[in-house]
Amino acid sequence: MKAKIYPSIASKTAIRLPSSKSLSHRAIIAAAIADGTSHITNIDYSVDIEATIEAMKHLGARIEKHPHSLTIEGTSDFRYDKEIIDARESGSTLRFLIPLFTMCDDIISFTGSKRLFQRPLNIYEELFQNQGLTLKYTDDGIMIDGKLKSGDIEIKGNVSSQFITGLLLTLPLVDGDSIIRIIPPFESRSYVDLTLEILNIFGIDAYYQDEYTIIVKGNQSYKAIDYDVEADYSQLAFFASLGLINNDIEVLNLNSNSKQGDRVFIDIAKKMNGIIQRDDKSYLFKKSSLKAAKIDLSDCPDLGPMCFALACMADGESVFTGALRLRIKESDRIAAMECELRKLNQQIESDEGTVIVKGKRPLIALDTLDSHNDHRIVMALSILATVSENEVIIDHAEAINKSYPCFFEDLRKCNIRVELYD
């Protein structure tokens, strides 16, 4: 699918964001392995969330889908149906569930996109080798065999917090208590905080002993609950940026006390001289004269693409550090944004983990842009395209389905002219 976006002045619109994908994954998994029936409300069905729902059905959970909610009859007695688990393109689904599926008395096979299995799994490979489990690559994905054991586990904190979450979801179910020792630097700590929050809500005892040590009690059971998923701060960045560079936008239904790490976008926007007004559940982002800034992305890598695009509209040279993990996401997000922003006549350069953007150049589409099959690349480029001097075409724009299928619909609600075609 191609998206043609025309330069448009956004209407002063209020946008209701989709539910947090991070919290949705965790809540669905916890409910699916809980004793009893849970009701999960405020669900948005992106491709990644669908992958997790289908995976948990293979484990024996009964999941009934409603327009914006789920009824989940969980199972603590795993009954794997012997089918291959398709994680599609979802790193969260794969990394969260590899340890959990070791609790089955079976050999488990995972499949998914080619790019998914190019992203590192070395943390689990090393752990499985140390514990005598098997993790083997196949033509279509991976195969695992053996049961995760409790114990004292060291894990690097700068690869992906998803590995820590996968262990935290599983270790409460095994015999014996466990200690997870995180080797600093501990990046994306906020995602681990979200996992601990969900564990506690579902009746699991797991907590920080100190800054780099997590205690997990063994032989526990998840408890069924009713849970309402809060709105997604990761998606906030896109419509907030539309307000900052185009015209005032109000964003609704946000939890001002959220533990989501991407809430830091509010601070980033302020650091770049963005004008923001707020009340308890909404933020108003006003068109602003943005200034360049130095931004550390080590705890919020998903914000990288939109931040790079936003910096194009800021006066001066913005420097983004701690960006190395952007290279192992759905695409190499640094290389992808360099390629596409240059097609928009922008000046951007990088080394392995630092990105420099020189702002205030004329924004002109010199060629058709490409999504690199990455939802966040599509959305970041789309927001920037609204203030281009000419229309912008983005190829493979269907990548938005991974996290925000209604993105272009919401963009149109803001009076942005968008044409979608094959």
Side-chain angles (χ1 to χ4, degrees), residues 128-169:
F128 279 29
Q129 184 176 20
N130 292 339
Q131 291 199 356
L133 287 70
T134 298
L135 191 158
K136 181 187 301 182
Y137 284 87
T138 65
D139 290 341
D140 300 318
I142 60 168
M143 178 271 291
I144 61 172
D145 187 21
K147 286 196 172 185
L148 185 71
K149 303 175 182 67
S150 60
D152 196 325
I153 299 171
E154 280 195 346
I155 186 167
K156 294 176 181 177
N158 65 345
V159 178
S160 172
S161 64
Q162 291 172 346
F163 296 110
I164 301 170
T165 288
L167 293 174
L168 284 172
L169 289 165

